[in-house]
Every structure is written in structure tokens, then in C-alpha cells.
Amino acid sequence: MGVADWILRAVARVIWFIDSLHQGLVWTVLLAILAYLTLRLGARARAVRTAPRPSVAPQPSELASLAGTIRRAGMSPSARHELAGRLRGIAVELRTQREAIPTQRAWEELEDGTWPPHPALAAVLRPRDSRTPPLQRGDHLRQIDRAVNALWNYAQGGEFDDR
């Protein structure tokens, strides 16, 4: 009983002491303590909430990269060449699956200019080839559209001459 009695007397003395102080002082000290605790807890919460930002920009998706290449193809010969390379790979893969020929032969016929017979597709797949008709300035997106449509038709089982 001695410890409980001692604790109760200590609490009563603290309450009596606080009660004897001026109320303005008690409230000022209480508000100062609350402000200090709020600032400390707020700083900790902000430190936890703010995750470190990556120092490297995120890589664009494959589709976003392709869309950017198509947009640049209207103005940049290097973008046209990059797009032609991507479309050449797709065309060769489609042909080897559809016609059951070796990949090497499909690449050779593409590079030789004997395949594909579709002129718009050939102009896009081989932009620097002298045998394909040159693209007119500003006509690149229309040519790319015709070439992709021809590839799509071919992939669906149609022929290049189907328009």
C-alpha cells in the first residue's frame, strides 16, 4: 500500500502545483508542448512519405517508342531507316511463318528487291534502294500507312495485291 499511496500523493501535489499557477501560463506551456510534438511528428511523417525519386527517367514502352519513330519518320531519314528495319523484321517473320521458307532466304529476297511485290511496302522496307520509287516529301506517313496495311493484309492471309 505504500507505493500506491506515494504515487497518489505525488500526482495530487503536481495537480495542486499546476492549479496554483496562472492559467495563461499553463495554457501557453501546454500549447508550446503540443506545437513541438506536432512539428516533430509531422517531420517524421513527411520523411517517410517522400520516397526517393529515381535519378533516371523511365524507359518508354515499346509502343510509345514505335509511335515516336513513326512521328519522326516524316522528317528524319534516320527515323525512316529505323522504322524500315523494324518493319523488315516483321515482314520476314510473317513470310517465314506463312510460306515456310528459311529465314535466310526471306532476308536475301528482301535485300535483293525480289520480294515484296507491293511497291508501297517495298519503298518503306528499302528506303535507300534505288529500285524502289522515292518517297515524296510529306508523303512518308501515307506510305507507311499503305505499307502497314499491306503487311496486315498479308498477315491475315491476303495477298499484297489486295488493296
Side-chain angles (χ1 to χ4, degrees), residues 7-155:
I7 292 174
L8 286 174
R9 285 177 191 237
V11 169
R13 284 187 182 157
V14 169
I15 291 173
W16 175 76
F17 175 73
I18 291 174
D19 192 41
S20 68
L21 294 174
H22 188 277
Q23 287 295 308
L25 178 66
V26 172
W27 283 106
T28 303
V29 170
L30 184 63
L31 288 175
I33 291 170
L34 286 175
Y36 173 76
L37 291 175
T38 302
L39 290 175
R40 291 281 299 197
L41 292 175
R44 236 184 250 158
R46 273 191 302 276
V48 170
R49 212 174 329 145
T50 32
R53 294 188 179 157
S55 59
V56 180
Q59 294 291 343
S61 69
E62 186 70 22
L63 185 59
S65 172
L66 179 60
T69 303
I70 291 171
R71 269 194 303 281
R72 288 190 319 273
M75 300 172 286
S76 166
S78 64
R80 282 191 293 278
H81 185 69
E82 178 185 343
L83 183 61
R86 292 175 91 162
L87 289 175
R88 273 196 303 269
I90 292 169
V92 165
E93 188 173 331
L94 282 173
R95 185 167 185 218
T96 57
Q97 288 176 2
R98 182 156 172 211
E99 298 178 18
I101 64 170
T103 305
Q104 185 63 32
R105 180 176 160 207
W107 276 109
E108 287 171 358
E109 289 180 7
L110 179 68
E111 296 301 324
D112 291 346
T114 57
W115 186 87
H118 194 275
L121 182 58
V124 170
L125 294 180
R126 294 186 305 272
R128 295 183 181 150
D129 193 342
S130 61
R131 292 170 289 194
T132 60
L135 296 175
Q136 299 300 318
R137 185 176 179 94
D139 196 35
H140 301 293
L141 292 179
R142 193 171 21 257
Q143 286 287 85
I144 291 168
D145 181 51
R146 279 190 234 138
V148 169
N149 284 336
L151 271 179
W152 178 254
N153 190 35
Y154 183 71

